[in-house]
Amino acid sequence: MNVATEVNFDGLIGPSHNYGGLSDGNLASARNAGDVSNPREAAVQGLEKMRTLVRAGLVQGVLPPLARPNFDLLVAAGFAGSDADIIDAAARSAPRVLKAAWSASSMWTANAATVSPSADTADGRLHFTAANLSTMLHRSIEHPDTTATLVSLFADEERFAVHGALPAHADFADEGAANHVRLAAEHGAPGVELFVFGRDIGETLAGFPARQTRLASESIARAHGLSAPRVVFARQARRAIEAGAFHNDVVCVGALDTLFFHEHAFENTAATLEALRHAAEGRFELKPVMVPDAEVPLADAISSYLFNSQLLQLPGEDRLVLIAPTETRDTPSAHAYCERLVLANGPIGRVQYVDVRQSMRNGGGPACLRLRVVMTEAEIAACHAGVLLDEELIDELQASVRATYRDRLSPADLADPAFADECRLAREAILEILDLESLL
Ligand code: SUG
């Protein structure tokens, strides 16, 4: 067995972070639509979360923001001329498309791709499939640039396989690692991969959209060369989606042998746990931690983002640590549950709270902001070194953000062509720091 480490690649929040109200079914996004945002504070908060994990002794990576506005989308919508002409015309006749083009949503890197570590794949390579994010217009434009980023970071084809996104059709709707959980005895051991979908192909459902299909999940498992007996496909509870759990990671998080989830996360909890136990047989014993609705009602689980936490094995701690958003601490039922959880002598020994409020107001908690990549030493050595962070690099990124990002951004600013230049310069400075000028 290879020794491997879980590396978290967080999305660096981009300079156009704003509250567009673009995500149907994401209650926070709808609630805060049109509010003034604080891009500088948002990016600093995200970097502080990364610093917390660096200080805890973890390997921490970062993915740069994508170029915004996305002029390809605006040109596809028929706008032409200079950048300023395009923004001006779009602001007048297609403001919602312009908002989509400006979205900084690539910060939520849990949706960037689905990742299978080399211990799980038939060819022994570390596989990525960029998510097509086809359900939401503003997110559907991410994948070409995300693929390019992944290819630059994981260029060594002998060790890494980067697959482009699945077809952009509703039957293949895919939201990446937000609907995927990997469980294993140790990070480097062969594991069990759980894919959670909300919809079958051809199925149309009333209400909030189910953003992941069974076909998408199955296609990824095939492309990654996963061993069928070690893969579980489970249906997300319709009730959870209707209550605002637009991704499974809003009601479930897993790490190593532990699955932490809400009673109403899965359509059939008993069958899901049974399938996981069966897939894990001979490798590890599953430790399910199910939170009853009577203790944390589904609505509180979703508003507090209790489950959108990072569940981590930290050096020097014998039990897992849950890195939860401060909103969990501020929600009485979720907070009381966490207090009991750590006393219970189960697999989770500590809860630590982080402030990512700017992202949370768009429905993005600590778990949304990171893409987990289990990597061997050799894979870490083969990955682009410029994106692996230490505190000095975090300081440098924060200084750059403070110098180039706006403190306040209001919806009207998105119509200002000068803001596009400002964002370009801010991104250029970041790419230079990360030694990724090739992505300019
Ligand atoms: O896709 N919000 C994101 C939040 C993604 C959270 N990710 C995970 N759960 N893994 C989304 O709904 C809101 C953007 C806006 O309204 O401006 C947004 O895209």
Side-chain angles (χ1 to χ4, degrees):
M1 184 196 72
N2 277 323
V3 175
T5 309
E6 181 182 271
V7 184
N8 288 286
F9 286 86
D10 279 45
L12 177 50
I13 297 173
S16 67
H17 158 66
N18 72 96
Y19 300 119
L22 298 173
S23 277
D24 182 30
N26 170 341
L27 305 182
S29 153
R31 191 176 328 113
N32 298 305
D35 282 5
V36 169
S37 63
N38 305 98
R40 189 188 299 161
E41 186 188 3
V44 169
Q45 283 174 353
L47 284 158
E48 279 307 295
K49 174 169 93 67
M50 298 179 225
R51 189 192 298 280
T52 301
L53 299 197
V54 168
R55 285 198 177 151
L58 298 188
V59 184
Q60 176 70 50
V62 68
L63 298 183
L66 303 182
R68 293 289 178 266
N70 183 314
F71 283 104
D72 288 348
L73 176 68
L74 298 171
V75 169
F79 297 104
S82 68
D83 290 359
D85 290 341
I86 290 175
I87 291 174
D88 210 45
R92 277 182 282 106
S93 56
R96 198 167 163 95
V97 179
L98 180 63
K99 249 194 316 191
W102 272 115
S103 179
S105 54
S106 69
M107 71 175 81
W108 299 296
T109 53
N111 306 117
T114 305
V115 185
S116 297
S118 48
D120 295 355
T121 63
D123 65 5
R125 292 190 294 168
L126 168 54
H127 284 247
F128 300 82
T129 296
N132 60 26
L133 295 167
S134 60
T135 306
M136 298 292 158
L137 175 65
H138 68 293
R139 304 222 59 183
S140 69
I141 56 178
E142 292 175 31
H143 73 86
D145 299 318
T146 300
T147 304
T149 304
L150 293 174
V151 167
S152 330
L153 265 49
F154 304 101
D156 180 348
E157 289 182 20
E158 298 211 342
R159 297 185 188 282
F160 307 122
V162 177
H163 305 266
L166 296 171
H169 182 270
D171 283 351
F172 275 109
D174 172 29
E175 299 271 324
N179 297 309
H180 175 251
V181 179
R182 178 177 186 264
L183 301 163
E186 288 172 52
H187 291 308
V192 166
E193 299 198 19
L194 167 64
F195 291 82
V196 184
F197 62 92
R199 178 161 62 81
D200 251 310
I201 59 167
E203 191 179 353
T204 41
L205 298 160
F208 288 152
R211 298 201 207 174
Q212 184 84 30
T213 67
R214 177 192 268 272
L215 175 64
S217 298
E218 288 174 346
S219 305
I220 294 166
R222 278 189 284 266
H224 289 194
L226 302 181
S227 150
R230 305 293 182 187
V231 176
V232 172
F233 299 100
R235 195 173 175 117
Q236 190 183 5
R238 186 68 213 156
R239 174 173 177 177
I241 296 174
E242 280 303 302
F246 53 96
H247 292 135
N248 174 63
D249 70 2
V250 175
V251 280
C252 169
V253 59
L256 296 168
D257 57 3
T258 300
L259 190 70
F260 180 54
F261 61 99
H262 191 271
E263 180 180 353
H264 297 313
F266 302 106
E267 201 62 65
N268 187 337
T269 306
T272 303
L273 293 181
E274 185 41 42
L276 286 173
R277 283 200 182 94
H278 187 67
E281 224 162 75
R283 299 228 159 126
F284 61 94
E285 197 182 321
L286 180 74
K287 294 196 185 120
V289 180
M290 186 182 85
V291 179
D293 196 66
E295 294 186 40
V296 182
L298 188 54
D300 282 7
I302 289 165
S303 63
S304 71
Y305 260 41
L306 165 64
F307 298 94
N308 200 261
S309 297
Q310 291 181 254
L311 190 55
L312 299 169
Q313 183 180 45
L314 297 186
E317 305 209 27
D318 56 352
R319 295 196 286 159
L320 297 172
V321 176
L322 192 74
I323 306 286
T326 47
E327 285 76 358
T328 294
R329 190 192 56 202
D330 300 339
T331 304
S333 63
H335 184 237
Y337 179 84
C338 288
E339 304 266 283
R340 291 194 297 278
L341 175 70
V342 298
L343 292 176
N345 215 23
I348 303 172
R350 191 160 71 81
V351 181
Q352 184 173 336
Y353 299 100
V354 289
D355 177 2
V356 287
R357 284 198 180 87
Q358 284 286 318
S359 165
M360 280 288 290
R361 295 178 46 139
N362 254 335
C368 299
L369 285 163
R370 59 85 174 107
L371 182 67
R372 292 189 285 187
V373 186
V374 168
M375 302 173 80
T376 63
E377 283 297 313
E379 288 161 354
I380 291 176
C383 141
H384 174 69
V387 294
L388 297 176
L389 298 176
D390 56 19
E391 287 210 60
E392 209 175 306
L393 200 46
I394 293 175
D395 289 342
E396 213 179 319
L397 288 167
Q398 282 184 336
S400 179
V401 160
R402 289 196 171 101
T404 61
Y405 279 40
R406 276 190 193 189
D407 172 29
R408 288 165 55 84
L409 185 63
S410 66
D413 296 334
L414 303 182
D416 174 9
F419 183 51
D421 290 329
E422 209 177 296
C423 289
R424 188 172 38 76
L425 293 174
R427 180 167 174 272
E428 276 174 17
I430 289 163
L431 292 177
E432 214 169 291
I433 293 171
L434 302 178
D435 204 8
L436 275 174
E437 288 91 340
S438 59
L439 292 176
L440 278 174

